[in-house]
Structures are given as structure tokens and as C-alpha cells.
């Protein structure tokens, strides 16, 4: 996740209004099969330090000292809160080589397993160990990480694999080559369960979408309101469409977000303000084009974008109108 200064907010209305300001309870609804990607209604569960780490990535609420059963119990509580409070059916979890090659993996698997037991889709995404290069630090370690992860979860149809988050240090041809190698190495994984990041900061999927070597894969787009200063929803939608091109049926916007702790009413004023028009554009376009999206962040204490906050042993919503707008984008 790269914000580029402070992101912006925005919200598309037309949803059933939500009157509660705290934790809002929703029933997770079964969704029909879709040829698009709108089956992904998700949140990122992130490390409070951000997921770029030289050591273990440890999502908010977990501790390095936790064992498998402790991680499983905590994750089970949070996953059920994501489902009940938001209607989410997908969680995106970070990994990096130290998190998988060292002892943390034995415990951290509890988060994946709890989410799967609760009926969630799980996107496992690899982060680099530094924000300075946008490239894989150690290719041998990266391959070993994925061998372990795919060996563990390759046979589970609800687990999706994102080889690398924000590969901005690579050219398109370099990135396609790396992804092609990944697909060849893990050919037992159906391509429909592999999510290929767009070039740059996942900010364009047109290049990877056009690559015949990556046919059949899903595509990951990131989009934030700090990337432009538009004040009209139509301007944001035009810009977003240019980044997606002809590939909305393969694209998941697996990072987007806006401040949820500042009291903004996201159901009003979709034009005239940067943040509101941005947020409206992402959610409205997702709904209209049948694209799934994964909000940044579902839980990340200290991040104004966090949709949830800790409330005792559970979670509550920071902004009811933000929840409503995100659910609108999910197709509710």
C-alpha cells in the first residue's frame, strides 16, 4: 500500500441508508455465480506498521508471541466481525519471506485457517521487505516462500495467490516474465486463483491484461484519492477506466480507501470535493462493472482509513456511511 500523501474520500449514495454510528450488523448474503469479479467483497487486514517490513508481517491485533491457537481464536473473532459489521466475504493477508520461512508461519497459518473455516475467500499477497526498490529482494527466498504457501493452500479453492504487491521496480516485460515463471512453477494452481498485480503501484492493469502469457489470471488494481485532485466523480471514473482498459471482468481493486475517522458523510456530495468524488467513483464503477474490491484497510489501528476499530475483544465500525458506500460498491 502506497498512499502518496493523504488520500481522499468520496461516496456514492443511492444505498439503503445506515443509521447506526457504531457497529452495524449485517447478514452476509449468498451471492450468485458471476463471470465478473464481484464475488470478492473484501478488506485488507494489515500490520499497523504497514505491510512493508524487513521482518515478520503481523496483522493488527496479533502478536509475535502468539501461537497457532491464539492466532486462530483472534482471527476468528475479527473475521466474524468483518462479516457481521461489513458483509465482507474476502480478506487479503500479507506475507513476506521471513514470515513464512521462520517460526511465525506456524502460528500465522491460524489466520488463514480461521478465515477459511468461516467461509471466507483469502487472498495471500506477498510484500517486498522494503519500500525502496519495488522489486523482489531475494529471488531464492521469494520462491521458497511461495513453495511453502502453495504447498499448504494450493489445493483449497478459496485461497487466491498474489505473487507480489506493487511491483513498481520492474518494467512491464520484466514483470510479465516473473509472473510467467511463477505460473509455470505452480502450474497446478488454476489461473483463475492467481491475481497478477498491475504495473507500477498496481496502478494500471492494461499491460498485464494484454499479455497472452498471463491469460486466465485475475488482475489487481490499486487506486487512491491522493493520485489526482479531481472534484467530479466523472473525472475519477474516466481516470479509473483508463487504468482498467478492457479488463474489468478480470480486475479486482484490491486496495482503495479513504479516511473513516474524520466524520465525513460519504453518502452526500459526490461532486465538488476530492475525497468524496473519488470514493463515489470507485464504488459506483465497481458496482456498475461487476468488479470486486478489497478495502484498505479493514483493520489497521492508527490509520485513518481503517474501517474498523478495536472495541474490547471485538470490532466496531468507524463510519456508518462509509460502510454503506462500500457495501454499495460490493453490490448490496
Amino acid at each position: 500500500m502506497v498512499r502518496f500523501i493523504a488520500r481522499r474520500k468520496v461516496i456514492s449514495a443511492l444505498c439503503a441508508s445506515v443509521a447506526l454510528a457504531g457497529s452495524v450488523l449485517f447478514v452476509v448474503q449468498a451471492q450468485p455465480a458471476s463471470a465478473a469479479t464481484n464475488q470478492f467483497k473484501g478488506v485488507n487486514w494489515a500490520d499497523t506498521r504497514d505491510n512493508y517490513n524487513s521482518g515478520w508481517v503481523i496483522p493488527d491485533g496479533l502478536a509475535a508471541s502468539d501461537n497457532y491457537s491464539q492466532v486462530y481464536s483472534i482471527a476468528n473473532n475479527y473475521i466474524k466481525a468483518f462479516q457481521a459489521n461489513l458483509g465482507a466475504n474476502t480478506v487479503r493477508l500479507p506475507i513476506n519471506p521471513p514470515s513464512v520461512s521462520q517460526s511465525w508461519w506456524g502460528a500465522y497459518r491460524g489466520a488463514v485457517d480461521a478465515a477459511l473455516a468461516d467461509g471466507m475467500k483469502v487472498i495471500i499477497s506477498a510484500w517486498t521487505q522494503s519500500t525502496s526498490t519495488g522489486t523482489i529482494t531475494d529471488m531464492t527466498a521469494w520462491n521458497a516462500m511461495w513453495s511453502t504457501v502453495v504447498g499448504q493452500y494450493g489445493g483449497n479453492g478459496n485461497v487466491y495467490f498474489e505473487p507480489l504487491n506493487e511491483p513498481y521496480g520492474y518494467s512491464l516485460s520484466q514483470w510479465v516474465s516473473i509472473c510467467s515463471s511463477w505460473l509455470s512453477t505452480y502450474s497446478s494452481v488454476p489461473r483463475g486463483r492467481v491475481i497478477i498485480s498491475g504495473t507500477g503501484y498496481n496502478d494500471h492493469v492494461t499491460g498485464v491484461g494484454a499479455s497472452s502469457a498471463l491469460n486466465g489470471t485475475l488482475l489487481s488494481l490499486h487506486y487512491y484519492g491522493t493520485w489526482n485532485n479531481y472534484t467530479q466523480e466523472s473525472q475519477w471514473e474516466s481516470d479509473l477506466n483508463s487504468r482498467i482498459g478492457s479488463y474489468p471482468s478480470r480486475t479486482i481493486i484490491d486496495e482503495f480507501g479513504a479516511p473513516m475517522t474524520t466524520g465525513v458523510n460519504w453518502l452526500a456530495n459526490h461532486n465538488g470535493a476530492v475525497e468524496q468524488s473519488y470514493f463515489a467513483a470507485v464504488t459506483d464503477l465497481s458496482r456498475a462493472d461487476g468488479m470486486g474490491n478489497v478495502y484498505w484497510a479493514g483493520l489497521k489501528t492508527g490509520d485513518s482509513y481503517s474501517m474498523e476499530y478495536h472495541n474490547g475483544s471485538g470490532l466496531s465500525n468507524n463510519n456508518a456511511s462509509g460502510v454503506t458506500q462500500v457495501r454499495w460498491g460490493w453490490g448490496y
Side-chain angles (χ1 to χ4, degrees):
M1 181 275 297
V2 173
R3 294 192 180 167
F4 298 155
I5 313 174
R7 311 163 182 166
R8 312 161 189 204
K9 331 164 185 179
V10 178
I11 303 197
S12 96
L14 303 176
C15 317
S17 78
V18 175
L20 300 182
S23 177
V24 181
L25 197 63
F26 292 104
V27 175
V28 180
Q29 305 170 11
Q31 297 298 303
S34 172
T37 62
N38 55 3
Q39 68 269 32
F40 295 94
K41 310 173 194 301
V43 293
N44 283 271
W45 182 12
D47 192 310
T48 57
R49 304 164 297 175
D50 205 79
N51 295 338
Y52 288 108
N53 275 293
S54 58
W56 301 347
V57 281
I58 305 173
D60 186 358
L62 302 179
S65 58
D66 289 340
N67 59 31
Y68 176 91
S69 62
Q70 290 170 315
V71 170
Y72 189 102
S73 177
I74 294 167
N76 183 53
N77 285 339
Y78 293 171
I79 294 299
K80 289 183 183 303
F82 293 149
Q83 293 173 324
N85 295 355
L86 308 173
N89 69 5
T90 302
V91 63
R92 183 171 179 247
L93 293 171
I95 57 170
N96 64 10
S99 300
V100 175
S101 66
Q102 299 173 16
S103 60
W104 176 234
W105 181 240
Y108 190 25
R109 286 190 297 104
V112 180
D113 295 346
L116 293 172
D118 288 333
M120 296 283 273
K121 297 177 181 63
V122 179
I123 298 172
I124 300 177
S125 180
W127 258 255
T128 60
Q129 292 172 250
S130 167
T131 59
S132 62
T133 61
T135 58
I136 297 163
T137 305
D138 182 331
M139 189 64 73
T140 299
W142 182 75
N143 282 320
M145 171 191 70
W146 278 119
S147 291
T148 297
V149 174
V150 172
Q152 189 80 44
Y153 294 108
N156 192 307
N158 282 327
V159 178
Y160 296 78
F161 306 99
E162 189 172 16
L164 188 67
N165 172 76
E166 297 179 348
Y168 62 90
Y170 294 117
S171 67
L172 172 61
S173 61
Q174 290 172 326
W175 179 228
V176 168
S177 176
I178 289 170
C179 292
S180 297
S181 178
W182 194 101
L183 291 167
S184 176
T185 300
Y186 306 107
S187 58
S188 61
V189 177
R191 288 191 173 212
R193 287 173 48 210
V194 181
I195 303 174
I196 301 297
S197 295
T199 49
Y201 292 92
N202 285 52
D203 51 49
H204 284 82
V205 298
T206 51
V208 289
S211 171
S212 60
L214 306 179
N215 282 350
T217 62
L218 298 173
L219 309 175
S220 160
L221 183 76
H222 293 179
Y223 196 58
Y224 286 111
T226 53
W227 293 0
N228 277 299
N229 59 1
Y230 305 131
T231 59
Q232 301 298 305
E233 182 177 354
S234 61
Q235 294 174 301
W236 286 108
E237 288 190 350
S238 177
D239 182 69
L240 186 52
N241 276 321
S242 73
R243 298 166 183 267
I244 297 168
S246 58
Y247 307 103
S249 65
R250 293 171 62 191
T251 298
I252 305 167
I253 303 174
D254 71 7
E255 280 193 26
F256 79 104
M260 292 293 154
T261 60
T262 56
V264 172
N265 179 0
W266 293 109
L267 303 179
N269 302 322
H270 288 182
N271 290 297
V274 172
E275 291 173 335
Q276 282 90 336
S277 57
Y278 151 78
F279 204 56
V282 177
T283 50
D284 284 349
L285 196 64
S286 292
R287 184 182 180 96
D289 286 358
M291 290 185 296
N293 61 56
V294 184
Y295 180 85
W296 182 279
L299 180 64
K300 185 173 183 280
T301 300
D303 187 336
S304 67
Y305 283 39
S306 185
M307 188 65 77
E308 300 291 284
Y309 69 91
H310 293 280
N311 184 7
S313 61
L315 302 176
S316 294
N317 298 331
N318 274 314
N319 187 308
S321 67
V323 172
T324 300
Q325 191 60 39
V326 167
R327 284 173 55 83
W328 170 258
W330 287 344
Y332 291 123

